Each structure stands twice: as structure tokens, then as C-alpha cells.
């Protein structure tokens, strides 16, 4: 999916954060819409911000494989995954990382998230603290782009199941919880998702 301008907004939202210890990895599936040129143009800005920045642009089998590439290359203690139609709210990351520093027993933290529609309508999708039964039997899902988790959890669970197209994130979080991950819900907004016709979950042929 060629989403250069959406990705620009995503990366600009990362550059605007106040948290200083950020490693930004971008996994692109070989887009031909100017994405590579965009990534090259941002190298110096990330360097100036003292953020570690790297990217890969090559064909893959889908989103799960691309995300696994990112997981395998990540070097920080905590991981957050943003899609190209997600962006961080201004200065939002610091509050969540400070909370994790205060609560070293927490393995996974998540929150509410914003939604912006093509007609300009905005809303907040509100969650609560979900238990294992909620996510296994009752249909609740931890929001992938509004979650931060410890990289150490991957040693127990592995990465994303590449056989799953639409629920790979949910499957990963369920496996983390089954392994005893300590989960925290914070009633704030970390990121917003642009809801548009080309999103994977609603685009024609995505099912």
C-alpha cells in the first residue's frame, strides 16, 4: 500500500515528541510513491533530534512479516507499533514512559485512542482494563497502536503469526497475557488513527 503522505504525518508526530530516548524503525513493503525519498529526507531531522532512525524498503508477505522484521531489529526495552495511518498525539509519549518507569512490574500498557474520519468527524474510542477472559472469550481487544509493551515479552511469546491477516496483534497480546504479562490501562489518549477507505480492515478485498 502506497501511503507516503500518511507516513509523513506519522513520522512528524514522532519527531514532535518530548521523550528523548526513541528508536524509530520504518518497515516499507517496497512502495513506489516517494516513500523512500521521504525516509531519506528525514534522516538528518531524526539525527538532530538525537533519535535513532533506520528503515527498510523491500517486498514482504504482508503486515505481520513487516512487523516481525521491526521486532527483530528493535533494541530498546519497550516497543510501540504505529501503522502509517496512525499518529502520536503531541507530547503524549512521555507520560506513558514515565508511568512505566514508576511501575516496573508492568509489562504492557494501553489506553484510549482517537479516531478521525475523512469527513472531519472526530471521536475517542474508550477502553478499560481487560482480563484474559475479556480478550479470549468476550471479544474485547487491546488497541495495537495505543499499546506499549516490554521487548522481553517476545522471548516468551515470539512475534506475530504471519498466517493471520487481521488479528495478528490481538493474537500476540493474548499470548502475552497467557504468559502472565502484567497489564495496565491508562485512561488517556496516546495516538489517533485516520479512518479512511483504504485502511486494511475496511478496504475492498481486505477480508
Amino acid at each position: 500500500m502506497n501511503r507516503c503522505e500518511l507516513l509523513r504525518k506519522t513520522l512528524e508526530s514522532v519527531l514532535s515528541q518530548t521523550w528523548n530516548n526513541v528508536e524509530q524503525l520504518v518497515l516499507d513493503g517496497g512502495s513506489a510513491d516517494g516513500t523512500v525519498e521521504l525516509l531519506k529526507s528525514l534522516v538528518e531531522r531524526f539525527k538532530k533530534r538525537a533519535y535513532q532512525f533506520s528503515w527498510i524498503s523491500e517486498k514482504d508477505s504482508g503486515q505481520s512479516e513487516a512487523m516481525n522484521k521491526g521486532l527483530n531489529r528493535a533494541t530498546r526495552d519497550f516497543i510501540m507499533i504505529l501503522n502509517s495511518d496512525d499518529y502520536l498525539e503531541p507530547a503524549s509519549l512521555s507520560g506513558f514512559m514515565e508511568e512505566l518507569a514508576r511501575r516496573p512490574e508492568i509489562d504492557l500498557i494501553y489506553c484510549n485512542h482517537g479516531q478521525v474520519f475523512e469527513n472531519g468527524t472526530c471521536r475517542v474510542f474508550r477502553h478499560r482494563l481487560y482480563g484474559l477472559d475479556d480478550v479470549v472469550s468476550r471479544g474485547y481487544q487491546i488497541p495495537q497502536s495505543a499499546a506499549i509493551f516490554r521487548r522481553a515479552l517476545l522471548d516468551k511469546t515470539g512475534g506475530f503469526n504471519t498466517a493471520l491477516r487481521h488479528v495478528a496483534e490481538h493474537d500476540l497480546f493474548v499470548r502475552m497475557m497467557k504468559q502472565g504479562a502484567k497489564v495496565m490501562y491508562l485512561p488517556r489518549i496516546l495516538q489517533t488513527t485516520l479512518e479512511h477507505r483504504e485502511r486494511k480492515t475496511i478496504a475492498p478485498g481486505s477480508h
Side-chain angles (χ1 to χ4, degrees):
M1 180 62 67
N2 293 327
R3 298 181 175 180
C4 180
E5 289 310 308
L6 290 176
L7 179 61
R8 183 189 301 276
K9 185 174 180 64
T10 303
L11 296 176
E12 290 286 354
S13 78
V14 174
L15 284 165
S16 72
Q17 295 302 301
T18 56
W19 186 251
N20 290 323
N21 187 9
V22 172
E23 174 186 35
Q24 176 66 59
L25 308 174
V26 179
L27 289 304
D28 172 59
S31 298
D33 62 344
T35 291
V36 171
E37 289 73 19
L38 168 66
L39 297 173
K40 289 178 179 178
S41 74
L42 291 175
V43 169
E44 288 304 316
R45 288 185 60 192
F46 274 93
K47 185 182 297 184
K48 194 172 185 178
R49 190 66 183 79
Y51 284 178
Q52 187 173 334
F53 180 61
S54 61
W55 53 272
I56 297 172
S57 182
E58 62 186 18
K59 294 294 184 182
D60 53 53
S61 62
Q63 185 180 14
S64 293
E65 181 187 354
M67 290 190 296
N68 280 338
K69 288 180 182 179
L71 296 182
N72 290 335
R73 288 166 173 76
T75 63
R76 299 297 194 269
D77 292 334
F78 291 95
I79 293 174
M80 179 182 186
I81 298 171
L82 290 172
N83 299 318
S84 60
D85 36 30
D86 300 317
Y87 57 90
L88 294 171
E89 290 296 316
S92 60
L93 187 59
S94 290
F96 286 81
M97 297 309 298
E98 289 164 1
E99 192 68 36
L100 287 166
R102 287 192 292 268
R103 300 285 301 277
E105 77 279 9
I106 297 300
D107 299 304
L108 189 161
I109 189 171
Y110 67 94
C111 61
N112 301 328
H113 65 277
Q115 293 176 297
V116 177
F117 297 85
E118 289 180 292
N119 64 4
T121 303
C122 303
R123 75 169 185 175
V124 175
F125 199 100
R126 301 185 187 282
H127 297 272
R128 62 172 174 81
L129 182 61
Y130 302 137
L132 185 58
D133 182 63
D134 290 321
V135 297
V136 171
S137 304
R138 303 180 64 192
Y140 292 97
Q141 294 189 25
I142 292 173
Q144 171 237 298
S145 295
I148 302 172
F149 59 89
R150 289 188 184 275
R151 194 186 189 287
L153 287 174
L154 299 175
D155 295 334
K156 299 178 180 180
T157 62
F160 294 97
N161 183 343
T162 56
L164 299 175
R165 176 172 171 78
H166 286 295
V167 293
E169 302 96 329
H170 177 65
D171 170 73
L172 179 62
F173 291 145
V174 169
R175 283 186 277 130
M176 288 177 175
M177 294 178 75
K178 286 183 174 180
Q179 289 289 338
K182 298 295 187 298
V183 181
M184 179 180 181
Y185 162 69
L186 203 59
R188 303 180 194 168
I189 298 178
L190 175 59
Q191 59 80 224
T192 293
T193 297
L194 174 62
E195 302 289 345
H196 57 93
R197 287 166 289 180
E198 294 186 354
R199 280 199 73 203
K200 186 178 75 169
T201 53
I202 59 177
S206 64
H207 298 289

